[in-house]
Amino acid sequence: METSVKKNGNTVAIVTMFFVFAMISFVTNMAAPFGNIWGFRYAWAGMAGNLMNFTAYLFMGIPAGNMLIRYGYKKTTLIALAVGAIGLGIQLLSSVVGDNIIVIGGENPTTLNLFIYLLGALVCGVCVCMLNTVVNPMLNLLGGGGNKGNQLIQTGGALNSLAGTLTPMMVGVLVGTLTKETTMASVAPLVVTGIVIFVLAFIVISFVRMNEPQANLSNVKYEHSPLAFRHCLLGIVAIFFYVGIEIGIPGEMNAWISRENFEGAAAVAGSLAALYWLMMLVGRFLSSIISGKVSTRAQLVTASSVAIILVLIAIFLPESVTFKSPEIKMLNIYSGEVPMKCLFLFLCGLCTSVMWGGIFNLATEGLGKYTAKASGLFMMMVVGGGIMPFIQDWIGRTAGYVNSYWLVFAMLVYIFYYAVIGSKNVNTDIPVSIDEPDLRDL
C-alpha cells in the first residue's frame, strides 16, 4: 500500500514538473519577438529584453538552489509562479504607461515604457530561473538518474518546445507587419493570457500533494562544492554555450527575416522561429522514446556533430537560393521569398532539442547530495542565453546576420568536445551520499 501511494505521488510530481517545463518556455520565448517590437524604435533594444531575462539567472541561480534546499520543490515553484505573474504584469504596464515620458534625450529619445518593459523582463527571468532550478533536478532524481532521468527531462522538454513553438507564432499573428508604430499594446492579449495561466497554475499546484526527492537537505554537511567534479564544472560551461545556441539560432533568424522587405515579414519570421521550436518538439519527443535504450552521451555526440554540419551549410549556402514561405490568410501569415539558409537553421532544432537534458543529465550524474547546489550553479550559467545572443545580434548588425552564426558554430564545437571527453566523471572518489563521511577530511 505504501509503495502504491509513493508511486502515485511520484506520478503527480512528474506531471506537475512537465507543466512547469512548458511554463518556462512560454515566458522565455516572449523575449525575442517582443524585442523585435522595441528594436524597430531603438536599434540597441532588439535583444535587450532577452538579455534582461537571462541576466536574472546570473544573480538568482545560487539563491534559487538554496531555496530548493530550504523550502523544497513545491514551495519554490509557488514562489516562482507568483513572481512570474508580477513580471508579466509589469511588461503589460509598459504598453499603457510611459510612452510620452523621455528618460534619455537625443535624436531618438528613449521613453520610460521601454525601461518598464525591461524591468518586467528581468522579473520574469527571476521566475524562470527558479522554475528551471526546480524542474531539472526533480525530474532527473524522480527518474533515478541515468537514461531514465534523461528520458523524463526530454519528455518535459517536449512540452517546453510545444510552448516555444506557439509563442513566437502567436506574437507574429498579433503583430502582422512590424513597423515603428507597432507597440506592446499589440501583444497585450498574449501577456494577459500568460498572467491568467500563472495564477491558475499557482492555485492548482497549491492543492497538489507530491513526493519530493531529497526533501530534507537543510542539515546536510557539504564537504565540497559541485565544482570539485570536473564533469560538472565543464558541464556548467556547456550549459552557458548551449542556451546561447538555443536562443541565438531562432532569435537572430527572427530579427533577420523581420527586416526583410515584404509584407507581413514579422509574421513570416515568427513562423520560421516557430518551426525551429517545432523541430525541438519533434526531437525531444523522439528522444523521450529512445532514451531508455540509447545513452545520453551517444545522443549528445550525434546531435552536436549534425548541428555543426547544418550551421556550416547555412553559412556557406548562397543567399540568392530561396524558397517561398507558405501563406495562411486566416492567420494573417503572408508569403515571402525566404533564404534557403533558414531551412537548415530551423532544422538545427532537431539537434538542440536533446542538448539541455543531455548536458544536465551528464553533468549531474553521480553528484548525489550535491545535485541541488549544482542545479543552482547551472541556473547561473543560463545567463549565456542573454549574453551570447546579444553578442550574436551585435555581430549580425555589424558584420551581417549570416556571419553571426560563426559564433554558434564555435559554441557547438565545445558541446561536441564535452559530449566526447568532458562529460566523463573522473572524481568518483568524492563521497556523495547524505550519510557517507568524507574520510579525507578526518
Side-chain angles (χ1 to χ4, degrees):
M1 184 67 156
E2 184 178 343
T3 303
S4 177
V5 172
K6 182 177 180 181
K7 184 176 180 181
N8 290 335
N10 284 348
T11 301
V12 170
I14 290 170
V15 171
T16 303
M17 291 304 104
F18 284 169
F19 179 76
V20 170
F21 234 136
M23 298 293 291
I24 291 168
S25 186
F26 179 77
V27 174
T28 302
N29 286 284
M30 286 181 176
F34 284 6
N36 286 334
I37 294 174
W38 294 107
F40 253 83
R41 297 180 66 178
Y42 314 104
W44 59 272
M47 281 290 180
N50 190 69
L51 179 62
M52 296 297 287
N53 196 289
F54 283 96
T55 296
Y57 284 85
L58 185 61
F59 65 82
M60 194 62 203
I62 291 178
N66 291 334
M67 287 175 64
L68 202 58
I69 293 171
R70 182 173 182 179
Y71 301 117
Y73 291 82
K74 180 177 175 178
K75 287 184 179 179
T76 304
T77 300
L78 291 174
I79 294 170
L81 292 172
V83 171
I86 293 171
L88 288 177
I90 295 173
Q91 291 189 48
L92 182 64
L93 189 65
S94 73
S95 67
V96 294
V97 174
D99 193 36
N100 297 319
I101 302 175
I102 297 175
V103 176
I104 301 176
E107 294 183 5
N108 187 24
T110 307
T111 52
L112 178 63
N113 58 339
L114 170 59
F115 294 97
I116 294 175
Y117 163 74
L118 293 177
L119 174 62
L122 181 66
V123 174
C124 281
V126 171
C127 159
V128 292
C129 177
M130 287 191 284
L131 291 179
N132 259 316
T133 306
V134 169
V135 71
N136 291 282
M138 188 164 184
L139 285 177
N140 197 43
L141 291 167
L142 287 170
N147 290 348
K148 180 63 177 178
N150 183 46
Q151 189 172 33
L152 288 180
I153 293 176
Q154 297 298 353
T155 304
L159 295 175
N160 180 276
S161 297
L162 177 61
T165 301
L166 297 175
T167 302
M169 184 179 291
M170 288 187 287
V171 173
V173 170
L174 289 171
V175 172
T177 300
L178 195 62
T179 67
K180 288 186 177 182
E181 283 69 45
T182 305
T183 68
M184 285 291 292
S186 302
V187 294
L190 185 62
V191 181
V192 171
T193 300
I195 294 173
V196 172
I197 291 174
F198 268 109
V199 172
L200 290 176
F202 183 94
I203 295 171
V204 171
I205 294 177
S206 295
F207 292 98
V208 169
R209 295 185 63 184
M210 63 176 74
N211 291 333
E212 297 196 15
Q214 296 185 346
N216 300 305
L217 293 174
S218 56
N219 296 320
V220 173
K221 181 180 178 182
Y222 297 94
E223 299 86 359
H224 302 281
S225 162
L227 299 180
F229 297 83
R230 190 195 74 169
H231 72 294
C232 180
L233 174 61
L234 297 179
I236 287 173
V237 178
I239 283 290
F240 178 86
F241 285 145
Y242 162 68
V243 186
I245 293 167
E246 180 194 276
I247 301 300
I249 290 177
E252 196 65 10
M253 182 168 58
N254 199 328
W256 169 18
I257 302 303
S258 292
R259 287 160 176 76
E260 291 291 294
N261 189 26
F262 59 83
E263 187 179 9
V268 174
S271 300
L272 291 173
L275 284 173
Y276 170 86
W277 293 104
L278 180 61
M279 292 299 100
M280 288 194 69
L281 170 62
V282 172
R284 282 173 170 169
F285 176 74
L286 293 175
S287 179
S288 69
I289 295 174
I290 67 173
S291 286
K293 297 180 180 179
V294 181
S295 74
T296 304
R297 179 173 286 107
Q299 291 185 53
L300 192 57
V301 169
T302 303
S304 56
S305 55
V306 172
I308 288 171
I309 294 171
L310 289 173
V311 169
L312 285 175
I313 293 174
I315 290 173
F316 288 108
L317 190 68
E319 199 162 339
S320 57
V321 180
T322 63
F323 70 98
K324 197 165 188 176
S325 60
E327 181 175 302
I328 309 176
K329 291 183 177 179
M330 62 180 296
L331 294 179
N332 201 29
I333 296 177
Y334 299 94
S335 178
E337 289 293 327
V338 179
M340 186 67 73
K341 295 172 178 288
C342 295
L343 172 64
F344 295 96
L345 291 176
F346 70 66
L347 283 177
C348 285
L350 287 170
C351 304
T352 55
S353 64
V354 304
M355 290 182 182
W356 172 272
I359 294 170
F360 189 91
N361 180 256
L362 290 172
T364 58
E365 189 69 21
L367 294 188
K369 63 184 179 182
Y370 296 100
T371 301
K373 283 185 172 293
S375 182
L377 293 173
F378 268 91
M379 292 312 109
M380 281 187 66
M381 290 299 99
V382 174
V383 70
I387 294 174
M388 302 314 290
F390 193 81
I391 294 173
Q392 185 183 352
D393 187 58
W394 175 80
I395 295 172
R397 287 184 284 107
T398 56
Y401 289 110
V402 176
N403 287 328
S404 73
Y405 283 93
W406 280 113
L407 180 62
V408 173
F409 168 79
M411 292 188 288
L412 285 170
V413 170
Y414 179 85
I415 302 292
F416 178 78
Y417 156 77
Y418 180 73
V420 176
I421 300 174
S423 58
K424 296 177 182 178
N425 185 0
V426 297
N427 302 105
T428 54
D429 59 323
I430 299 178
V432 297
S433 172
I434 292 176
D435 301 317
E436 185 180 3
D438 192 340
L439 298 178
R440 295 172 302 177
D441 292 339
L442 297 179

